[in-house]
Every structure is written in structure tokens, then in C-alpha cells.
Amino acid sequence: MPSATLDTVPGTLFYFTPPADGSEPYNRVNTDPTSTIPLSNWTPQKYTVHIENVRGKEALFTLDEAGFQYFKHPARYTSFIDDDEIKAEYYPESADLIQKITGASRVVLFDHTIRRRILGQVDMVGKRQPVKEVHVDQTASSAISRVHLHLPPSEAPELLKHRFQIINLWRPISHPAFDMPLTLCDYRTVDKENDLAAVARISPERRGETYRVKYNPQHRWKYLKGMTPEEFVLIKCFDSTKDSGVSIFTPHTAFLDPSAPEDTLPRESIELRALVFYD
Ligand code: OGA
Ligand code: FE
């Protein structure tokens, strides 16, 4: 673990440990708060790490090296109340941003999640909360499934012959996100062969797969303290590149920042998920 410095805060993160009985790990999407079916069959393990506030040093972290990159660019659309309006207004401007930044030939947004923190509320559909476990949104295989799911059969096979990525665009809503900020693990400190565990994601619509992350003392965690709605971060979740010098994913999670101002407003954020294609 790196030593504490002026720029770091201690944060408790929840890493993966496999189910004790050797069964395949799963997480179930919480759609029914009265259900007694367990939401998962494994127990997250707590570790306290030093998390560095990189404000002023944002340029050291790029999408293809660290796996994430911070930008300052206010959104034209700022109300974030209605899902259809978000799709009509916020999706196109965000797809344009991702395309300009990455130089991709095509960007297809396929999902968004709004999180508004409510104290004591468990994460559930319609009341999504900051995420408490270190994860990557897609595994290599569920990333490819996403292309087949969201693009017609006449296009998906050709698109998959070229480089493609899954990138999230994460942005605070309405006020700075001092409360439960998002922390990202620098890809250069990840052991891509050994740190990941595929976990089934069971929802009423489909059985997907995400990665949970095993503790590794080499991991270096970063955050941008007090990120404002005028700022956003791109998070790489998948990259089909075969170039071993390029990031292919970034573990991330929310954490309770002990240095957050006491009277700060509960975190509100929106994240978009994008398929990013290249010629
Ligand atoms: C994401 C994500 C967690 C959070 O954007 O993919 O995991 O707490 N967000 O915002
Ligand atoms: Fe995520």
C-alpha cells in the first residue's frame, strides 16, 4: 500500500472473495425489496487503501494508459428527470463528445444509470445507489455479447472484426459530488491475468456477466475530489486491442470520503455506457 500523503485519504473498498462452497459467484439485480432470495452468494472483503485526489494532476491519467480520463465540458442538457428526454437530448451530445475524444468511427450508447444517494437505501431498480464493490461493468465475453445485443446481425460481425471498446461517461448531476465519490484504479497497477473474477449478473431480462476484483496491494486508487457537473470522466470497461501497452479495463467503485465536507449534499450522478467502434 502506498504511504499516506497530503493528497491521499483512507478509503474502505470492497473486494471479491469466492463463495466458500465453490459454487459459481452471482449477483442478482434487486427488483423486489420484499423478496427473500439472496442477492449474491459471495461476501465482499473490506480493505482500507489510500486514495489519491488527483485534482491538478488530471493530465497524468489517460484513457489508454490509466484506463480513465477526466474532462471539463458542461452538458447542454442538465435536468436529468425523464429517461426519454435523456435519450433524446443527453445521448447525442455525449456520443459526439466520446467520438471527438477517441477518434472512433461510430459510438452507440446502450444504457444509462442515474444514482441519487439516499441514506439507508439499498441499491435497487429505480433507486440506484452508489456502487459499494470494486468491479468492471463487462467481462470480455459480455462485452462482445453487448455488440450482438445492440446492433443488427447484418452489422455486428463486421464491427467485431475491428477494434472496439466499451466506455462509460460518468458525470455528477446538480451539485459537486463530494459525497460518495467514484474512485478508479490505475490500469498500470492491475494484474490483468490474476485480479479479475467473472461474476454472473442475473436480471429479469438476461444473464450477463461482470468482473469483480481480487485484492492486490499493487493497486493505486485515484479520485477527483469535488467533481462538478461541468466535469466528466471516461471509464474504459473493455478494449479489444491486442496492444499489451494499452489499458483494457479500469476497476472502479464509490467510497465514503472521510474528508468530504459534513454538510455536503448526497451524491447525484449519471453514467452512460457506450459501444465505441473503429474502422
Ligand atoms: C459506473 C459505476 C458507480 C457509482 O459508472 O460504471 O460503476 O457509484 N458507477 O457511480
Ligand atoms: Fe461500473
Side-chain angles (χ1 to χ4, degrees), residues 115 131 135-137 168 182 235 237 252 271 273:
R115 302 180 194 275
V131 170
H135 70 281
V136 179
D137 296 22
N168 292 3
L182 189 72
I235 309 167
C237 290
H252 54 276
E271 70 224 33
R273 299 189 165 76

Side-chain angles (χ1 to χ4, degrees), residues 39-110:
L39 288 172
S40 81
N41 64 343
W42 59 279
T43 309
Q45 183 97 33
K46 238 179 181 180
Y47 288 88
T48 300
V49 302
H50 294 300
I51 302 179
E52 185 185 10
N53 173 18
V54 298
R55 193 165 284 287
K57 293 178 257 183
E58 294 95 318
L60 297 175
F61 305 94
T62 65
L63 203 54
D64 275 347
E65 292 172 314
F68 58 89
Q69 194 166 337
Y70 296 103
F71 298 88
K72 189 165 176 122
H73 187 100
R76 283 192 296 272
Y77 177 77
T78 54
S79 52
F80 298 110
I81 302 296
D82 178 77
D83 276 341
D84 289 332
E85 205 176 89
I86 289 169
K87 285 180 191 158
E89 310 234 351
Y90 188 56
Y91 274 34
E93 64 168 301
S94 301
D96 278 356
L97 269 178
I98 295 172
Q99 189 156 14
K100 285 205 183 84
I101 290 165
T102 59
S105 51
R106 186 166 171 192
V107 174
V108 177
L109 297 181
F110 64 90

Side-chain angles (χ1 to χ4, degrees), residues 73-75 77-83 86 90 94 112-117 128 169-182 226-233 264-272:
H73 187 100
Y77 177 77
T78 54
S79 52
F80 298 110
I81 302 296
D82 178 77
D83 276 341
I86 289 169
Y90 188 56
S94 301
H112 71 271
T113 303
I114 291 187
R115 302 180 194 275
R116 293 191 166 96
R117 187 179 181 217
R128 300 301 304 274
L169 188 159
W170 189 101
R171 179 195 285 281
I173 290 177
S174 98
H175 51 263
F178 281 101
D179 177 53
M180 289 296 282
L182 189 72
M227 248 183 110
T228 71
E230 288 72 48
E231 296 173 316
F232 66 88
V233 60
T264 198
L265 291 165
R267 191 246 279 189
E268 298 187 20
S269 61
I270 181 165
E271 70 224 33
L272 297 180

Side-chain angles (χ1 to χ4, degrees), residues 84-252:
D84 289 332
E85 205 176 89
I86 289 169
K87 285 180 191 158
E89 310 234 351
Y90 188 56
Y91 274 34
E93 64 168 301
S94 301
D96 278 356
L97 269 178
I98 295 172
Q99 189 156 14
K100 285 205 183 84
I101 290 165
T102 59
S105 51
R106 186 166 171 192
V107 174
V108 177
L109 297 181
F110 64 90
D111 183 45
H112 71 271
T113 303
I114 291 187
R115 302 180 194 275
R116 293 191 166 96
R117 187 179 181 217
I118 304 168
L119 222 77
Q121 171 71 49
V122 291
D123 188 52
M124 66 172 282
V125 169
K127 290 208 173 114
R128 300 301 304 274
Q129 298 297 299
V131 170
K132 290 216 183 85
E133 292 155 11
V134 179
H135 70 281
V136 179
D137 296 22
Q138 284 85 21
T139 63
S141 101
S142 68
I144 290 162
S145 304
R146 282 287 174 185
V147 177
H148 292 292
L149 193 61
H150 302 293
L151 285 137
S154 57
E155 294 178 41
E158 182 57 34
L159 289 167
L160 284 168
K161 287 185 190 150
H162 306 266
R163 185 181 186 192
F164 99 91
Q165 303 164 320
I166 295 187
I167 293 174
N168 292 3
L169 188 159
W170 189 101
R171 179 195 285 281
I173 290 177
S174 98
H175 51 263
F178 281 101
D179 177 53
M180 289 296 282
L182 189 72
T183 177
L184 298 129
C185 182
D186 192 318
Y187 175 75
R188 292 165 289 196
T189 69
V190 166
D191 176 349
K192 67 176 192 296
E193 310 299 338
N194 297 305
D195 288 351
L196 300 178
V199 173
R201 179 180 184 277
I202 303 168
S203 75
E205 298 87 46
R206 77 185 73 85
R207 195 183 171 92
E209 209 175 57
T210 67
Y211 286 127
R212 297 302 145 123
V213 181
K214 297 178 221 166
Y215 178 70
N216 175 344
Q218 297 302 111
H219 291 166
R220 295 294 175 269
W221 288 94
K222 312 292 169 184
Y223 80 119
L224 189 61
K225 185 167 176 162
M227 248 183 110
T228 71
E230 288 72 48
E231 296 173 316
F232 66 88
V233 60
L234 294 186
I235 309 167
K236 194 180 292 179
C237 290
F238 175 78
D239 195 328
S240 70
T241 181
K242 295 290 170 270
D243 181 342
S244 62
V246 171
S247 73
I248 54 175
F249 60 82
T250 311
H252 54 276

